[in-house]
Amino acid sequence: MTINGWLQISIFFLVILALTKPLGTYLYRVFESPEKPLPRVFGPLERWSFRLCGVDPEAEQTWKEYTLALLLFSLVGLLVTYAILRLQHFLPFNPQALGPVPPDLAFNTAASFTTNTNWQAYGGESTMSYFSQMAALAWHNFISAAAGLGVALALARGITRRAAKGGEAPRTLGNFWADLIRSINYVFLPICVAAALVLVSQGVIQNLKPYETVKLMDPYSARVTKKDASGQEVKDEKGNTVMEAVKVETQTIPLGPVASQEVIKEFGINGGGFFNANSAHPFENPTPITNFLEMILIFALPAALTYTYGRMAGDQKEGWVIFGAMALLFLVGVGVTYWAEARPNAALAGLGVEQSAGNLEGKETRFGIANSSLFATVTTDCSCGAVNAMHDSFTPLGGLVPLVNIQLGEVIFGGVGAGLYGMLVFVILAVFIAGLMVGRTPEYLGKKIESREIKYAMLYVLIFPLIILSFAAWAAVAPYALSSLNNAGPHGLSEILYAFSSAAGNNGSAFAGLNANTPWWNLTLGLAMLAGRFWMMIPVLAMAGAMVGKKTVPPSLGTFPTNGGLFLGLLVGVILIVGALTFFPVLSLGPVLEEFLARQGKFF
Amino acid sequence: MWRIFITACRTALFTLILTGVAYPLLVTGLAQVLFPGKAGGSLVQDERGQVVGSELIGQAFSRPGYFHPRPSAAGEKGYDATASGGSNYGPTSQKLRDRVISDLESLKKQNPQAAAPIPAELLTASASGLDPHLSLAGVQWQLPRVAAARQVAPERIDAVIHDYLQGRDLGFLGEPRVNVLLLNLALDRHFGRPH
């Protein structure tokens, strides 16, 4: 660990802290204030958007209508994406003449992008046409993020809306279409255009040209698997793979519209890379400056939403308590990862190798240990899943932090919207537990928390580990699943666990050695992603519906204050107890066991 | 329900055209006007004007007169830019251990003059498999070999290395580094092509 490393981490956090209030205020004006920002610029676009989509933004929806709109819209998105991927060879912008995406992979990818997971069972540069990247995938980066934001707004409205004096209790949560379209028009598009150009100025590519083949300065020979005319591997009599020497004289450099996709991938907390190596690829993330900007883009919206929420609740301290709980868990996570990754890699131990820089396997020279550790923490605190280093090659404890971040439910800033609504579920639970401890009916922002809300909260909390652990258990005993592993021993279990945690948590990063592009993995991970998104959104929206009409009671002496340090501590405690204890047994067999074995110099 | 479905279809089509087609084409147009070279892949040419690669995409070098990049797990051949990726071997992987030991032996054989110990960077594959950089230590460890192969005094090559040493961005971001392709091109310009 170096002072400069800590300096980078501190400056990153301070920039996020500084952005929270201005961006949060802007979001409040976009979604909650009748006077929208910059009416001259955005006014005409907004009116045209609503007219073309046939939306009346003033038509308020109940939780059922809001949910139905969200589900139907997601279904349409899923089907359109599947169709584009299957038909990409007939569509424009395909200079490499890539063929149709196979059905299981197309389903997995469509599910992945619809759910804001952006799990990638494919390598972008060898599978997706430019049209598929732009229209099928980057499109979802916008709309899935916008949909998540909508759910958070709906829950926040459910908690904070109050009956006007003497008026009827509110029953509605806003309008899904208005939230969706406004977030694209006012928030995502303008910032993405500006940020994309900054990325291009640093070297991120943006073009529609075919791949460029260059002649190498220093041709070399390499040993590769021999393949016959049909592309099948050639085997000798004993069934072993035959290798042959080839002369490599050229390098094919992939191109494409990367910058436009890169920014929304981070800002919408999607994480699906244009290339297989994601944000480690020099064309996606060429310099430490782009790396810094990309990390800021990931954290900006979820951090700002805590401020927006405080504004909606009528007490900024309510927002800052949530920010504080998130910040505390983030800083602990990044500290542990950085410490773990700055230690030597066990596979290089005892060979007289100079390892003072830390564990460099799977990391880029330009980023170094501090930026790789910070990025890994940021991307898993949020449901982003972009990576600038390979988490599979992290030290056991360095890889444990991203895994735990996901398993805590990605509430540490979290996804666009998903982070805030996940955190609010934990807030409700924490309030409930505090109420049990003092023996009084719990209330939050003047609204009583009753059994119906707690049932929805428990559904939210229990569905998540159920998806992860059931599928992971199946994979751990099925030969057709195990054959995809890249690492043996406890690290193999970590690969399985990470895959389903990432899918159910809609994160999308991976212990990427796992070959997930098989029919079984594509199908199960696709289902885990859909369940992790929609089975968890529905209880949240139901909770919003249950909360919105409740009478508010003025705070009394017995009310547990939710805007101070004590509640912050309680909230962090609830997150850690609920999230971490659920997964502790399996984590002890994966990363924790691996750490002890690595220290003893065991290899698998 | 039917009415909501129709709205869903209309909104999907509208957002698809706005964010999936208009937005990337707008950014492409602006990028091509403002930063044509960078938007096109930062391609570099040698002294004869032939495109030899991208400044940002690492490529393999094997002759002793060139500096060699880090090991690459991109494709079977290494540095295959159509198959970016890391090895994804964990720290308890026997395959990683075997690869490191075998690379270590060949590095020692190729660099008999080099001062031990070897920087870990030269034995670890990057995340993208296309890392275009080395740290100063990773370059300087190879300096005796390159100087001997080119029959040039090490100090003269070290001067070129320092010309190509990039500091941290804005003074604090990232790590200091040397671009291997640009460095090797510069060596050819200064001292001619190696044999």
Side-chain angles (χ1 to χ4, degrees), chain A residues 116-132:
Chain A
N116 198 268
T117 309
N118 299 33
W119 172 268
Q120 295 174 287
Y122 59 91
E125 59 268 53
S126 53
T127 317
M128 296 293 169
S129 76
Y130 295 163
F131 187 79
S132 296

Side-chain angles (χ1 to χ4, degrees), chain A residues 185-375:
Chain A
N185 287 358
Y186 285 93
V187 184
F188 291 122
L189 270 181
I191 292 179
C192 283
V193 172
L197 291 176
V198 176
L199 291 191
V200 177
S201 77
Q202 289 287 310
V204 178
I205 59 174
Q206 179 74 27
N207 60 61
L208 297 166
K209 293 179 197 149
Y211 297 179
E212 177 97 20
T213 298
V214 299
K215 276 189 80 137
L216 292 177
M217 286 170 69
D218 185 13
Y220 60 102
S221 59
R223 290 184 66 76
V224 299
T225 317
K226 191 170 179 177
K227 292 192 175 148
D228 62 18
S230 61
Q232 293 292 312
E233 287 183 11
V234 176
K235 309 260 182 192
D236 63 12
E237 311 87 69
K238 288 180 198 152
N240 294 323
T241 314
V242 180
M243 305 293 282
E244 62 176 347
V246 292
K247 188 95 174 150
V248 186
E249 293 179 324
T250 59
Q251 185 183 39
T252 298
I253 296 177
L255 297 169
V258 176
S260 57
Q261 190 157 339
E262 187 70 19
V263 281
I264 187 60
K265 157 186 142 188
E266 266 98 23
F267 197 46
I269 315 194
N270 297 277
F274 197 95
F275 299 111
N276 188 43
N278 208 294
S279 289
H281 197 291
F283 276 164
E284 289 198 23
N285 195 357
T287 66
I289 291 180
T290 56
N291 188 62
F292 192 78
L293 176 63
E294 289 176 15
M295 292 189 295
I296 294 289
L297 284 171
I298 298 174
F299 258 17
L301 274 180
L305 270 174
T306 61
Y307 192 87
T308 313
Y309 176 72
R311 189 83 183 263
M312 291 167 81
D315 178 2
Q316 284 312 146
K317 280 194 207 151
E318 296 286 347
W320 284 119
V321 162
I322 291 177
F323 182 97
M326 292 172 166
L328 186 68
L329 289 166
F330 159 68
L331 291 170
V332 171
V334 76
V336 173
T337 316
Y338 187 28
W339 164 77
E341 290 310 297
R343 292 163 65 220
N345 186 323
L348 278 70
L351 300 172
V353 178
E354 213 286 305
Q355 285 215 74
S356 61
N359 170 25
L360 291 171
E361 180 73 19
K363 294 195 182 65
E364 300 282 300
T365 299
R366 61 193 178 284
F367 303 139
I369 301 296
N371 275 310
S372 302
S373 309
L374 178 59
F375 201 110

Side-chain angles (χ1 to χ4, degrees), chain B residues 91-180:
Chain B
T92 52
S93 163
Q94 185 68 48
K95 290 181 197 155
L96 176 59
R97 182 76 175 178
D98 294 346
R99 189 198 79 198
V100 169
I101 289 173
S102 127
D103 285 356
L104 188 63
E105 277 167 15
S106 50
L107 273 174
K108 279 184 177 161
K109 210 180 289 169
Q110 291 163 9
N111 297 274
Q113 320 91 327
I118 301 176
E121 184 184 42
L122 295 176
L123 290 163
T124 48
S126 65
S128 64
L130 304 172
D131 192 343
H133 297 113
L134 283 176
S135 70
L136 186 59
V139 177
Q140 282 182 325
W141 189 83
Q142 304 181 45
L143 179 56
R145 181 197 77 226
V146 175
R150 286 179 175 266
Q151 297 176 322
V152 174
E155 297 76 33
R156 293 179 63 200
I157 293 182
D158 200 38
V160 181
I161 294 174
H162 278 87
D163 285 345
Y164 280 82
L165 177 64
Q166 267 178 285
R168 295 192 160 101
D169 291 12
L170 307 177
F172 72 101
L173 284 174
E175 302 295 327
R177 57 206 184 272
V178 179
N179 187 301
V180 179

Side-chain angles (χ1 to χ4, degrees), chain B residues 39-108:
Chain B
S42 306
L43 301 176
V44 284
Q45 302 172 339
D46 63 8
E47 68 270 32
R48 289 171 301 181
Q50 185 165 15
V51 176
V52 291
S54 163
E55 183 184 331
L56 296 174
I57 303 292
Q59 53 180 257
F61 286 93
S62 57
R63 272 187 268 185
Y66 285 124
F67 286 98
H68 300 173
R70 302 174 63 184
S72 164
E76 276 193 300
K77 300 175 281 194
Y79 287 95
D80 179 350
T82 60
S84 61
S87 73
N88 285 308
Y89 291 141
T92 52
S93 163
Q94 185 68 48
K95 290 181 197 155
L96 176 59
R97 182 76 175 178
D98 294 346
R99 189 198 79 198
V100 169
I101 289 173
S102 127
D103 285 356
L104 188 63
E105 277 167 15
S106 50
L107 273 174
K108 279 184 177 161

Side-chain angles (χ1 to χ4, degrees), chain A residues 57-109:
Chain A
E58 305 303 322
E60 288 270 329
Q61 293 169 322
T62 63
W63 83 265
K64 284 183 184 155
E65 290 163 341
Y66 203 100
T67 310
L68 188 64
L70 169 87
L71 292 178
L72 283 176
F73 183 66
S74 302
L75 178 69
V76 172
L78 183 82
L79 295 175
V80 172
T81 302
Y82 183 81
I84 292 177
L85 298 182
R86 296 287 294 139
L87 299 171
Q88 67 171 3
H89 51 305
F90 298 124
L91 294 166
F93 300 121
N94 186 7
Q96 295 310 116
L98 294 164
V101 180
D104 58 322
L105 183 56
F107 161 72
N108 180 282
T109 308

Side-chain angles (χ1 to χ4, degrees), chain A residues 157-165 167-170 312-315 444-447 547-555:
Chain A
R157 288 178 190 133
I159 293 172
T160 60
R161 278 191 175 172
R162 282 146 201 271
K165 267 220 172 86
E168 257 181 67
M312 291 167 81
D315 178 2
Y444 180 54
L445 301 182
K447 291 190 174 180
M547 293 286 289
V548 71
K550 280 182 193 273
K551 278 201 217 80
T552 46
V553 287

